[in-house]
Amino acid sequence: MNYVVALDVGGTSMKGGLVTRSGEVTPFAGHPTERERGPAAVVAAIRAYVGELAGHGRARYGGEPSGVGLAVPGIVTSSMAVYSANIGWRDVPAEEFVPGDVPARLGHDVRTGGLAESVFGAGRDTADFLFLPIGTGIAGAVVVRGEPYGGVHGWGGEIGHTTVWPSGEPCACGQIGCLETYASASAVSRRYERRSGRAATAKEVVTLAASGDPAAREVFDEAIEALAISLGSYTLLLDPSLIVIGGGLGEAGAVLFDPLRERLAARLAFCEPPELRPSALGVHAGMLGAALLGWQAAGEPGVGADWTPERLLGAH
Amino acid sequence: MNYVVALDVGGTSMKGGLVTRSGEVTPFAGHPTERERGPAAVVAAIRAYVGELAGHGRARYGGEPSGVGLAVPGIVTSSMAVYSANIGWRDVPAEEFVPGDVPARLGHDVRTGGLAESVFGAGRDTADFLFLPIGTGIAGAVVVRGEPYGGVHGWGGEIGHTTVWPSGEPCACGQIGCLETYASASAVSRRYERRSGRAATAKEVVTLAASGDPAAREVFDEAIEALAISLGSYTLLLDPSLIVIGGGLGEAGAVLFDPLRERLAARLAFCEPPELRPSALGVHAGMLGAALLGWQAAGEPGVGADWTPERLLGAH
């Protein structure tokens, strides 16, 4: 048929959609992942949601989906969800997420978003870049020679847990001074509350910093400096042409990008900083990347090369 | 014919050799690079040395070399030495390094060493590892999916200038707190002299540290901690199966590897540290990698797959 089912499975909710061969997207309201019910219930909930989306597809396009693509957290191969600390599953074959016998393909959540940014998003004109969504946590998709790279076991891209200040604050992961513990949205919010005694979201802290609130400025400055240190080291190690910033903080605009550009340049003495660019696909990157996986599962890996963010996201 | 000319061009000396299709190596005494005489003189010296080695080859094998491979510093493509701050050249085509019309191929010095370690050295059983020679300076070869990766402009692998202590010591490169400024052989020697008032080579500092000299212990401990921080971040970002340590300090043995393994594991809370292994090819890695480039230039990229360090280095 002419469409695939695409699903982005996060720790709290899953976002699904139908995507045709020509890049027509029908997004659906998210469902809760309900990981507190245990891994078997999550697998059953995903399978049910895939079935529900296929039902919408039959109604709309008059036939079964050609494939199913799923972006999931943790350690993943294209045919197996190997492990997720977040959800708790181990070794779930791709077929278990799909009712019936439609071919399915899995991908790592962040790298699947990076795949979408690479094929038709902010990285479509380059083969070597970092996709860095900054949200509750921070993880990256290292795109090398045109393909997201996950290393030997699939742990690659954990830039949020690279060390920024070796004798700094303890991170929830058990390490010391990780990027994530200074620069994620939840870190910015938590650190502001600790310093000021007032609760605020990361977006509010950014606005407060811009309006001169001293505690907000300190916290935001430290987040920017942490990002600059980490992205400087990334640049020296992997010499990317581009860093694509996504997630909630990636939508902050010039208030984030301007000081980050300046600090990153200041950290690099002998090489040019790469361009910084906001994500083109925003929160839809994972689901749209999953659609590419769905078309790969269908045996049509070339589908998606001519999609554009405007066409994909225009209707939303 | 049955052999290539291979040359490893460093800042102070160049090491050359003849290498046959079956991996028989004839190494020659190094020549000074004489970079103080300027880039044109260095190019002429390299061309003369290649001619001299080809003369040895004619005498020994009765014909011209099949190809020439050269490992050079700076920014390099396979056909052009684009830039080297160290030597001062810009845009020197590969043919200028070679008298006559023998086909030639260039490679980046550290990545060419990494290529040799990858094909028949310490990394021959894995596709994804870091080759980290620790000498006067520190640079790495990031091997990804079986190939050394230099990024977009060829600056990749500059792990020596990734930040370890963001408010630490100034590095000669103009940045602050770089790995190299704590952990290179020259840094260990310089920092020991500054702390103790006594001159010592890095090897001597390692021996002094083992025998309990307090200043040597401090300096060596900080070098190990800097390496652990940097390799921890590398592991989280690129999830390698292996880190191959070369250069002078790489030959220090258990006195380096044991504490480094321990500190690296301590820096990683949620993923296993990769194996640490000494270089198999030592100071010959660059020249042997250049031999692979020479065979590639000759149109025989498959040559080298069956070479072994024992056969290559056995006669030395």
Side-chain angles (χ1 to χ4, degrees), chain A residues 65-199:
Chain A
S66 298
V68 175
L70 300 109
V72 300
I75 303 279
V76 195
T77 70
S78 61
S79 59
M80 179 88 74
V82 178
Y83 173 68
S84 163
N86 200 346
I87 295 181
W89 61 38
R90 279 190 186 274
D91 298 329
V92 186
E95 307 85 64
E96 290 203 22
F97 295 108
V98 178
D101 57 0
V102 181
R105 194 169 183 127
L106 305 174
H108 175 271
D109 50 1
V110 180
R111 287 195 288 280
T112 300
L115 176 69
E117 293 287 354
S118 170
V119 174
F120 47 78
R124 66 186 173 280
D125 52 2
T126 179
D128 301 84
F129 69 101
L130 172 67
F131 172 53
L132 186 72
I134 305 178
T136 313
I138 298 181
V142 177
V143 181
V144 158
R145 300 183 193 120
E147 278 178 56
Y149 176 72
V152 169
H153 314 91
W155 282 122
E158 289 284 2
I159 190 170
H161 297 285
T162 61
T163 304
V164 170
W165 282 292
S167 311
E169 300 189 7
C171 180
C173 78
Q175 298 175 179
I176 303 290
C178 298
L179 171 64
E180 183 170 299
T181 212
Y182 297 96
S184 71
S186 45
V188 166
S189 169
R190 181 187 68 241
R191 299 182 84 234
Y192 177 74
E193 182 166 359
R194 202 170 58 201
R195 212 164 294 201
S196 71
R198 294 186 297 277

Side-chain angles (χ1 to χ4, degrees), chain B:
Chain B
M1 280 309 298
N2 288 322
Y3 74 99
V4 296
V5 167
L7 207 61
D8 181 11
V9 178
T12 55
S13 76
M14 6 187 214
K15 286 185 280 286
L18 308 177
V19 183
T20 67
R21 188 180 277 107
S22 65
E24 180 184 279
V25 180
T26 312
F28 289 87
H31 275 215
T33 306
E34 299 186 285
R35 62 181 161 146
E36 63 282 1
R37 293 174 55 210
V42 172
V43 174
I46 292 171
R47 192 169 52 231
Y49 191 31
V50 169
E52 183 190 325
L53 293 171
H56 288 297
R58 278 191 297 275
R60 180 163 187 139
Y61 298 110
E64 293 299 316
S66 298
V68 175
L70 300 108
V72 301
I75 302 280
V76 195
T77 70
S78 61
S79 59
M80 180 87 76
V82 178
Y83 173 67
S84 163
N86 200 347
I87 295 182
W89 62 37
R90 278 189 187 276
D91 297 330
V92 186
E95 307 85 64
E96 290 204 22
F97 294 107
V98 178
D101 58 358
V102 180
R105 193 169 185 129
L106 304 174
H108 175 271
D109 49 2
V110 180
R111 286 195 288 281
T112 301
L115 176 68
E117 293 286 354
S118 170
V119 174
F120 48 78
R124 67 185 173 278
D125 52 1
T126 179
D128 302 85
F129 69 101
L130 172 66
F131 172 53
L132 186 73
I134 305 177
T136 312
I138 298 181
V142 177
V143 181
V144 158
R145 299 182 192 121
E147 278 178 57
Y149 175 72
V152 169
H153 313 92
W155 282 122
E158 290 285 1
I159 190 170
H161 298 284
T162 60
T163 304
V164 171
W165 283 292
S167 310
E169 300 188 5
C171 180
C173 78
Q175 298 176 178
I176 303 290
C178 299
L179 172 63
E180 183 169 299
T181 213
Y182 297 97
S184 70
S186 46
V188 167
S189 169
R190 182 186 68 242
R191 299 182 84 235
Y192 178 73
E193 183 166 357
R194 203 170 59 202
R195 213 164 293 201
S196 70
R198 294 185 298 276
T201 65
K203 274 193 183 169
E204 288 162 352
V205 175
V206 173
T207 308
L208 285 164
S211 71
D213 178 288
R217 279 184 91 127
E218 273 177 38
V219 166
F220 184 63
D221 276 4
E222 283 165 19
I224 295 288
E225 188 64 22
L227 284 167
I229 291 166
S230 207
L231 296 178
S233 290
Y234 185 95
T235 299
L236 287 155
L237 206 50
L238 291 167
D239 185 21
S241 60
L242 176 68
I243 294 169
V244 173
I245 298 186
L249 272 180
E251 290 166 15
V255 71
L256 175 87
F257 282 82
D258 288 352
L260 182 53
R261 270 190 199 103
E262 196 177 301
R263 300 284 188 88
L264 176 56
R267 280 275 165 199
L268 295 169
F270 63 91
C271 70
E272 292 292 309
E275 188 186 343
L276 303 183
R277 206 184 273 179
S279 155
L281 306 171
V283 296
H284 305 285
M287 189 267 279
L288 294 172
L292 292 173
L293 300 179
W295 283 109
Q296 289 174 9
E300 300 193 45
V303 171
D306 62 348
W307 294 353
T308 62
E310 296 69 29
R311 181 143 45 107
L312 292 162
L313 304 175
H316 300 182

